Amino acid sequence: MTILPRSYYLNPDVAFLAKDLLGKCLVTQFDGKLTSGMIVETEAYAGVTDKASHAYGNRRTVRTEVMYSIGGTAYVYLCYGMHSLFNIVTNREGIPDAILIRGIVPDEGTGIMLQRTGKDSVTKNFGIGPGNVSKALGIHYSHTGLDITRKTLKKKDTGIWLEERGFVVDPGKIQITTRIGVQYAGEDASRPYRFVLH
DNA sequence: CGGCCGATCCACT
DNA sequence: GTGGATCGGCCGA
């Protein structure tokens, strides 16, 4: 098990990284409870040039400021007033690229994840959908800005990080489509920036 | 300061 | 296939 290092997230090609994240393992540990899952669906958001991005046109607000952080930082925000959506900031500091994690296959801590989601069994679609990812892994919008390149935060038993566990992705099982819910983004809505591992 | 709306999910038909 | 839940952030006044 290798924690993905800072250098991994500095890649300037956000679409490449979004695709490369498929098969990696997303791990969280809060209050000593460790949960994880393999990433099977992502979406790339290409900073200032992408109308679907919150940072389009170099837009800076209190919420989007964290997108300008160095690659390897968590960007979590609230959608529809009830869903915390987890994104990974990529590229060097000042370039607001980000990748939305849309789906995982649960691995460790399934009991904890069932408890968090209120489900009684891990069904096929458990962990699919960006809101479900955060719910299962216990990610909250207050976690925005977290450094995800190291395991612990201020000695507390807390953190979000990614691991390379040697899972070999069959390129033929990767589906590339346009992104969900970005019809407002004009021509950028047709960018092939959604990656699904089947 | 107030109104609008979103990178959604689920229960129900 | 559809509508209701539910609220912080953003923008315009």
Side-chain angles (χ1 to χ4, degrees):
Chain A
M1 129 192 144
T2 315
I3 296 183
L4 293 182
R6 176 76 65 202
S7 58
Y8 178 82
Y9 301 102
L10 299 183
N11 191 315
D13 186 345
V14 68
F16 169 86
L17 266 185
K19 186 175 172 185
D20 196 67
L21 281 175
L22 298 175
K24 300 288 190 289
C25 190
L26 175 58
V27 191
T28 66
Q29 187 165 5
F30 302 115
D31 301 321
K33 294 176 189 159
L34 188 138
T35 49
S36 71
M38 185 175 77
I39 295 170
V40 293
E41 185 176 339
T42 62
E43 275 180 8
Y45 287 83
V48 299
T49 65
D50 181 356
K51 288 195 178 116
S53 167
H54 289 159
Y56 174 68
N58 213 41
R59 191 171 139 81
R60 281 175 181 267
T61 65
V62 175
R63 178 177 67 152
T64 62
E65 196 58 37
V66 69
M67 297 183 75
Y68 295 83
S69 306
I70 191 167
T73 302
Y75 170 45
V76 190
Y77 76 95
L78 192 68
C79 185
Y80 296 102
M82 59 187 89
H83 302 291
S84 290
L85 302 201
F86 175 67
N87 302 251
I88 295 172
V89 175
T90 69
N91 215 324
R92 64 171 203 268
E93 187 171 0
I95 313 253
D97 290 351
I99 298 168
L100 171 67
I101 306 300
R102 295 187 55 88
I104 60 164
V105 172
D107 184 6
E108 297 152 289
T110 50
I112 297 163
M113 293 196 262
L114 287 173
Q115 206 174 344
R116 284 177 182 148
T117 55
K119 306 267 177 68
D120 16 76
S121 66
V122 176
T123 56
K124 194 175 178 183
N125 282 335
F126 186 91
I128 303 302
N132 292 324
V133 170
S134 297
K135 204 193 250 181
L137 294 174
I139 297 172
H140 184 258
Y141 62 82
S142 63
H143 296 132
T144 200
L146 253 183
D147 181 352
I148 62 166
T149 64
R150 61 204 170 96
K151 226 172 186 178
T152 54
L153 176 72
K154 296 175 188 167
K155 289 199 289 189
K156 281 159 73 178
D157 201 6
T158 296
I160 304 173
W161 66 92
L162 268 68
E163 291 179 15
E164 168 59 74
R165 292 186 175 177
F167 183 85
V168 180
V169 174
D170 175 357
K173 292 189 174 174
I174 296 178
Q175 182 192 8
I176 304 177
T177 74
T178 54
R179 293 167 292 183
I180 303 292
V182 295
Q183 58 289 341
Y184 60 89
E187 67 275 17
D188 288 327
S190 58
R191 293 195 193 209
Y193 274 6
R194 176 167 172 252
F195 304 91
V196 186
L197 178 60
H198 292 284

